[in-house]
Amino acid sequence: MHYRAVIFDLGGVVVGSPLEAIARYEAERGIPAGFVNRVVERGELTLEAFYPAFEGDCAAAGHTLDARAMMARVAEVTVPRPAMLEAIRRIRARGLLAAAVTNNWITEDEGTGVLRPRFDAFVESAVAGVRKPDPRIYELACAELRVAPREAVMLDDIGANLKTARALGMATIRVADPDAALGELEELLGFPLR
């Protein structure tokens, strides 16, 4: 198959995983594993508005937490992975397109938006009004890249997100170990990324 584009999730793929930071926070606070992700917000609020709203939602669901402290932990781990940035550079240097598709929230600073210049398309749930795994967010990325889903490879660390991408016709790679995922991507694309 000849691929024309690679679509990257950000958190857990291009940058460290916010899910791991949240899981550690839950464990340290004695909050059941996965609780925070079940009380997820849609990313429509600024962070200052998010903190009390999310704390209220969590309290209503049975657990108290400090949203500001939890998000500080997320910020500590969501730093760019140099190997992924190099892979994106090499992909674009070979004439392929690269996109980011991310479930995010509105921030007062640029957040992961600082990565925008590294991509040909940058689709944020907080801007698009649709979140993964909704197929519309992948269709939006493909439309911005002007490729068909079958011409794209999607990398994500969440299986449900990949299931939707695969159903649209994309090749998919689950990122548990970033180096192993880059090896799989090299096999699909036929050139070195590291």
Side-chain angles (χ1 to χ4, degrees):
M1 176 69 196
H2 177 72
Y3 297 104
R4 295 180 49 218
V6 181
I7 302 172
F8 294 85
D9 173 37
L10 292 182
V13 178
V14 178
V15 302
S17 175
L19 300 179
E20 292 172 10
I22 292 168
R24 280 193 302 277
Y25 180 84
E26 288 172 332
E28 291 169 9
R29 299 280 312 234
I31 297 170
F35 174 79
V36 168
N37 288 326
R38 286 190 295 276
V39 187
V40 71
E41 291 282 335
R42 292 190 311 257
E44 297 171 349
L45 303 173
T46 64
L47 278 177
E48 287 304 316
F50 164 82
Y51 297 136
F54 191 67
E55 288 170 355
D57 289 349
C58 288
H63 291 280
T64 60
L65 57 76
D66 180 338
R68 189 178 301 276
M70 183 189 71
M71 293 306 289
R73 300 271 185 94
V74 168
E76 289 172 4
V77 301
T78 53
V79 296
R81 293 174 167 161
M84 285 293 177
L85 297 180
E86 177 61 14
I88 293 163
R89 187 194 68 74
R90 289 182 182 208
I91 287 165
R92 294 178 80 197
R94 286 286 186 120
L96 278 73
L97 300 168
V101 174
T102 185
N103 286 347
N104 66 348
W105 49 85
I106 299 168
T107 59
E108 284 74 31
D109 61 8
E110 276 197 282
T112 52
V114 299
L115 298 171
R116 184 180 305 276
R118 297 177 181 269
F119 294 96
D120 299 292
F122 200 86
V123 181
E124 302 172 272
S125 65
V127 175
V130 61
R131 297 178 63 78
K132 295 180 295 176
D134 188 314
R136 293 175 295 171
I137 199 163
Y138 304 105
E139 291 165 347
L140 181 58
C142 288
E144 286 191 26
L145 293 172
R146 294 190 172 114
V147 300
R150 64 178 162 51
E151 297 175 301
V153 180
M154 174 73 197
L155 286 84
D156 204 305
D157 60 324
I158 298 175
N161 295 341
L162 294 172
K163 182 178 179 182
T164 301
R166 201 168 28 258
L168 291 172
M170 292 181 192
T172 61
I173 298 172
R174 184 161 186 183
V175 180
D177 173 328
D179 194 56
L182 288 176
E184 289 182 52
L185 186 56
E186 287 172 336
E187 287 292 318
L188 285 177
L189 299 180
F191 59 87
L193 298 170
R194 299 171 281 180

PDB file of all heavy atoms in Angstrom, residues 167-183:
ATOM      1  N   ALA A 167     -11.804   1.262  11.048  1.00  0.00           N
ATOM      2  CA  ALA A 167     -13.101   1.077  10.386  1.00  0.00           C
ATOM      3  C   ALA A 167     -13.262   2.028   9.200  1.00  0.00           C
ATOM      4  O   ALA A 167     -13.972   1.707   8.240  1.00  0.00           O
ATOM      5  CB  ALA A 167     -14.239   1.287  11.390  1.00  0.00           C
ATOM      6  N   LEU A 168     -12.590   3.171   9.247  1.00  0.00           N
ATOM      7  CA  LEU A 168     -12.626   4.112   8.120  1.00  0.00           C
ATOM      8  C   LEU A 168     -11.681   3.710   6.995  1.00  0.00           C
ATOM      9  O   LEU A 168     -11.727   4.285   5.913  1.00  0.00           O
ATOM     10  CB  LEU A 168     -12.260   5.518   8.601  1.00  0.00           C
ATOM     11  CG  LEU A 168     -13.280   6.213   9.502  1.00  0.00           C
ATOM     12  CD1 LEU A 168     -12.689   7.507  10.057  1.00  0.00           C
ATOM     13  CD2 LEU A 168     -14.571   6.492   8.745  1.00  0.00           C
ATOM     14  N   GLY A 169     -10.791   2.750   7.265  1.00  0.00           N
ATOM     15  CA  GLY A 169      -9.862   2.276   6.242  1.00  0.00           C
ATOM     16  C   GLY A 169      -8.406   2.624   6.485  1.00  0.00           C
ATOM     17  O   GLY A 169      -7.544   2.292   5.671  1.00  0.00           O
ATOM     18  N   MET A 170      -8.111   3.287   7.587  1.00  0.00           N
ATOM     19  CA  MET A 170      -6.718   3.645   7.890  1.00  0.00           C
ATOM     20  C   MET A 170      -5.945   2.442   8.395  1.00  0.00           C
ATOM     21  O   MET A 170      -6.510   1.566   9.053  1.00  0.00           O
ATOM     22  CB  MET A 170      -6.672   4.723   8.984  1.00  0.00           C
ATOM     23  CG  MET A 170      -7.207   6.047   8.574  1.00  0.00           C
ATOM     24  SD  MET A 170      -7.045   7.219   9.957  1.00  0.00           S
ATOM     25  CE  MET A 170      -8.054   8.550   9.352  1.00  0.00           C
ATOM     26  N   ALA A 171      -4.657   2.425   8.116  1.00  0.00           N
ATOM     27  CA  ALA A 171      -3.760   1.493   8.798  1.00  0.00           C
ATOM     28  C   ALA A 171      -3.547   2.085  10.191  1.00  0.00           C
ATOM     29  O   ALA A 171      -3.540   3.309  10.348  1.00  0.00           O
ATOM     30  CB  ALA A 171      -2.438   1.389   8.053  1.00  0.00           C
ATOM     31  N   THR A 172      -3.410   1.243  11.198  1.00  0.00           N
ATOM     32  CA  THR A 172      -3.286   1.760  12.560  1.00  0.00           C
ATOM     33  C   THR A 172      -2.117   1.126  13.304  1.00  0.00           C
ATOM     34  O   THR A 172      -1.767  -0.025  13.059  1.00  0.00           O
ATOM     35  CB  THR A 172      -4.581   1.530  13.368  1.00  0.00           C
ATOM     36  OG1 THR A 172      -4.838   0.121  13.444  1.00  0.00           O
ATOM     37  CG2 THR A 172      -5.769   2.243  12.741  1.00  0.00           C
ATOM     38  N   ILE A 173      -1.550   1.911  14.222  1.00  0.00           N
ATOM     39  CA  ILE A 173      -0.470   1.440  15.089  1.00  0.00           C
ATOM     40  C   ILE A 173      -0.779   1.907  16.500  1.00  0.00           C
ATOM     41  O   ILE A 173      -0.937   3.112  16.735  1.00  0.00           O
ATOM     42  CB  ILE A 173       0.902   1.980  14.637  1.00  0.00           C
ATOM     43  CG1 ILE A 173       1.237   1.475  13.241  1.00  0.00           C
ATOM     44  CG2 ILE A 173       1.990   1.604  15.654  1.00  0.00           C
ATOM     45  CD1 ILE A 173       2.483   2.102  12.631  1.00  0.00           C
ATOM     46  N   ARG A 174      -0.851   0.941  17.413  1.00  0.00           N
ATOM     47  CA  ARG A 174      -1.060   1.295  18.819  1.00  0.00           C
ATOM     48  C   ARG A 174       0.294   1.584  19.452  1.00  0.00           C
ATOM     49  O   ARG A 174       1.221   0.779  19.362  1.00  0.00           O
ATOM     50  CB  ARG A 174      -1.767   0.172  19.576  1.00  0.00           C
ATOM     51  CG  ARG A 174      -2.062   0.612  20.999  1.00  0.00           C
ATOM     52  CD  ARG A 174      -3.099  -0.224  21.624  1.00  0.00           C
ATOM     53  NE  ARG A 174      -3.440   0.324  22.936  1.00  0.00           N
ATOM     54  CZ  ARG A 174      -4.288  -0.225  23.746  1.00  0.00           C
ATOM     55  NH1 ARG A 174      -4.901  -1.338  23.389  1.00  0.00           N
ATOM     56  NH2 ARG A 174      -4.540   0.305  24.907  1.00  0.00           N
ATOM     57  N   VAL A 175       0.395   2.734  20.104  1.00  0.00           N
ATOM     58  CA  VAL A 175       1.649   3.165  20.703  1.00  0.00           C
ATOM     59  C   VAL A 175       1.634   2.849  22.198  1.00  0.00           C
ATOM     60  O   VAL A 175       1.008   3.554  22.981  1.00  0.00           O
ATOM     61  CB  VAL A 175       1.900   4.667  20.466  1.00  0.00           C
ATOM     62  CG1 VAL A 175       3.219   5.097  21.101  1.00  0.00           C
ATOM     63  CG2 VAL A 175       1.877   4.983  18.973  1.00  0.00           C
ATOM     64  N   ALA A 176       2.318   1.765  22.554  1.00  0.00           N
ATOM     65  CA  ALA A 176       2.572   1.460  23.968  1.00  0.00           C
ATOM     66  C   ALA A 176       4.030   1.816  24.232  1.00  0.00           C
ATOM     67  O   ALA A 176       4.347   2.516  25.185  1.00  0.00           O
ATOM     68  CB  ALA A 176       2.286  -0.006  24.263  1.00  0.00           C
ATOM     69  N   ASP A 177       4.904   1.340  23.359  1.00  0.00           N
ATOM     70  CA  ASP A 177       6.327   1.650  23.394  1.00  0.00           C
ATOM     71  C   ASP A 177       6.621   2.489  22.146  1.00  0.00           C
ATOM     72  O   ASP A 177       6.498   1.998  21.017  1.00  0.00           O
ATOM     73  CB  ASP A 177       7.120   0.343  23.370  1.00  0.00           C
ATOM     74  CG  ASP A 177       8.616   0.543  23.233  1.00  0.00           C
ATOM     75  OD1 ASP A 177       9.058   1.515  22.583  1.00  0.00           O
ATOM     76  OD2 ASP A 177       9.362  -0.287  23.766  1.00  0.00           O
ATOM     77  N   PRO A 178       6.968   3.770  22.323  1.00  0.00           N
ATOM     78  CA  PRO A 178       7.179   4.634  21.150  1.00  0.00           C
ATOM     79  C   PRO A 178       8.206   4.090  20.153  1.00  0.00           C
ATOM     80  O   PRO A 178       7.990   4.193  18.941  1.00  0.00           O
ATOM     81  CB  PRO A 178       7.651   5.959  21.763  1.00  0.00           C
ATOM     82  CG  PRO A 178       7.071   5.956  23.143  1.00  0.00           C
ATOM     83  CD  PRO A 178       7.104   4.513  23.587  1.00  0.00           C
ATOM     84  N   ASP A 179       9.295   3.498  20.628  1.00  0.00           N
ATOM     85  CA  ASP A 179      10.315   2.981  19.715  1.00  0.00           C
ATOM     86  C   ASP A 179       9.772   1.820  18.889  1.00  0.00           C
ATOM     87  O   ASP A 179      10.008   1.742  17.679  1.00  0.00           O
ATOM     88  CB  ASP A 179      11.572   2.567  20.493  1.00  0.00           C
ATOM     89  CG  ASP A 179      12.754   2.355  19.572  1.00  0.00           C
ATOM     90  OD1 ASP A 179      13.099   3.294  18.813  1.00  0.00           O
ATOM     91  OD2 ASP A 179      13.320   1.243  19.585  1.00  0.00           O
ATOM     92  N   ALA A 180       9.033   0.925  19.533  1.00  0.00           N
ATOM     93  CA  ALA A 180       8.431  -0.196  18.805  1.00  0.00           C
ATOM     94  C   ALA A 180       7.418   0.311  17.778  1.00  0.00           C
ATOM     95  O   ALA A 180       7.338  -0.203  16.653  1.00  0.00           O
ATOM     96  CB  ALA A 180       7.767  -1.167  19.779  1.00  0.00           C
ATOM     97  N   ALA A 181       6.651   1.329  18.148  1.00  0.00           N
ATOM     98  CA  ALA A 181       5.674   1.894  17.216  1.00  0.00           C
ATOM     99  C   ALA A 181       6.368   2.511  15.997  1.00  0.00           C
ATOM    100  O   ALA A 181       5.899   2.350  14.870  1.00  0.00           O
ATOM    101  CB  ALA A 181       4.823   2.944  17.934  1.00  0.00           C
ATOM    102  N   LEU A 182       7.483   3.183  16.240  1.00  0.00           N
ATOM    103  CA  LEU A 182       8.233   3.744  15.103  1.00  0.00           C
ATOM    104  C   LEU A 182       8.771   2.636  14.206  1.00  0.00           C
ATOM    105  O   LEU A 182       8.808   2.788  12.986  1.00  0.00           O
ATOM    106  CB  LEU A 182       9.353   4.650  15.598  1.00  0.00           C
ATOM    107  CG  LEU A 182       8.894   5.987  16.175  1.00  0.00           C
ATOM    108  CD1 LEU A 182      10.074   6.767  16.739  1.00  0.00           C
ATOM    109  CD2 LEU A 182       8.158   6.819  15.126  1.00  0.00           C
ATOM    110  N   GLY A 183       9.167   1.515  14.793  1.00  0.00           N
ATOM    111  CA  GLY A 183       9.595   0.371  13.993  1.00  0.00           C
ATOM    112  C   GLY A 183       8.476  -0.135  13.100  1.00  0.00           C
ATOM    113  O   GLY A 183       8.694  -0.437  11.917  1.00  0.00           O
TER     114      GLY A 183
END
